């Protein structure tokens, strides 16, 4: 009995590896996005704290130097927040690109797998047909021997 051999098996393995790599890249991009979002939340918290500290300084009647220092500190924290937002946006775009690449790799792998499944179905059908022919031929020979027509 013949064995099934899919000639595009090396290509299928290559596509499987490509999909795995795309999934790993997507996972890295997801982690980097989460880390950037965490840094953004932290920067926003620090900015709120800077505003709170400046308000406290105004309430207690701090001198101009200290109020100016607080304002400058708020400017620095605002820049940190904006930089973190830009980083999140960049990471989001990267994640979206990696997601698209992973989906495309999955689709390419599935196309080959469906092709392999169809080829396997054709092979199995042909094998079953050959087996039935062999069984029919044996039955014919056996029937011929019984009737004495075959020697």
């Amino acid at each position: 009995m013949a064995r099934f051999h899919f000639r595009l098996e090396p290509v299928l393995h290559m596509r499987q590896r490509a999909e795995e790599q795309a999934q790993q890249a997507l996972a890295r991009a997801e982690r980097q996005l989460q880390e950037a979002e965490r840094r953004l939340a932290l920067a926003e918290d620090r900015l709120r704290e800077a505003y709170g500290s400046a308000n406290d300084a105004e309430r207690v009647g701090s001198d101009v130097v200290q109020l100016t220092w607080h304002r400058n500190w708020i400017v620095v924290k605002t820049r940190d927040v904006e930089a973190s937002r830009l980083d999140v946006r960049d990471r989001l775009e990267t994640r979206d690109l990696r997601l698209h690449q992973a989906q495309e790799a999955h689709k390419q792998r599935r196309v080959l797998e469906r092709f392999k499944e169809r080829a396997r179905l054709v092979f199995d059908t042909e094998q079953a047909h050959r087996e039935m022919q062999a069984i029919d031929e044996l039955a014919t020979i056996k029937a011929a021997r019984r009737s004495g027509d075959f020697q």
Side-chain angles (χ1 to χ4, degrees), residues 1-6 120 123 127:
M1 183 164 147
R3 292 184 52 192
F4 175 72
H5 176 71
F6 186 56
R120 180 65 189 215
F123 175 81
Q127 280 297 104

Side-chain angles (χ1 to χ4, degrees), residues 136-148:
D136 288 347
E137 187 177 316
L138 287 174
T140 303
I141 292 172
K142 197 174 194 181
R145 281 187 181 164
R146 281 189 200 134
S147 65

Side-chain angles (χ1 to χ4, degrees), residues 18-61:
E19 182 183 13
E20 289 169 5
Q21 291 170 348
Q23 287 294 334
Q24 291 169 355
L26 175 59
R28 275 191 307 276
E30 286 284 348
R31 284 192 305 274
Q32 291 171 348
L33 174 61
Q34 290 171 354
E35 181 63 25
E37 288 172 338
R38 188 192 62 74
R39 284 191 305 269
L40 174 59
L42 187 60
E44 288 173 338
D45 289 345
R46 288 182 180 154
L47 179 60
R48 275 191 292 280
E49 289 172 7
Y51 272 113
S53 179
N55 288 338
D56 292 344
E58 280 184 38
R59 258 184 266 140
V60 297

Side-chain angles (χ1 to χ4, degrees), residues 5 20 32 39 45 49 77-78 81-82 90 98 104 120 124 126 128 130 144 148 150:
H5 176 71
E20 289 169 5
Q32 291 171 348
R39 284 191 305 269
D45 289 345
E49 289 172 7
K77 293 301 158 190
T78 301
V81 167
E82 289 305 313
D90 290 345
R98 298 289 182 244
E104 189 62 31
R120 180 65 189 215
D124 289 344
E126 288 174 357
R130 283 190 208 116
F150 188 76

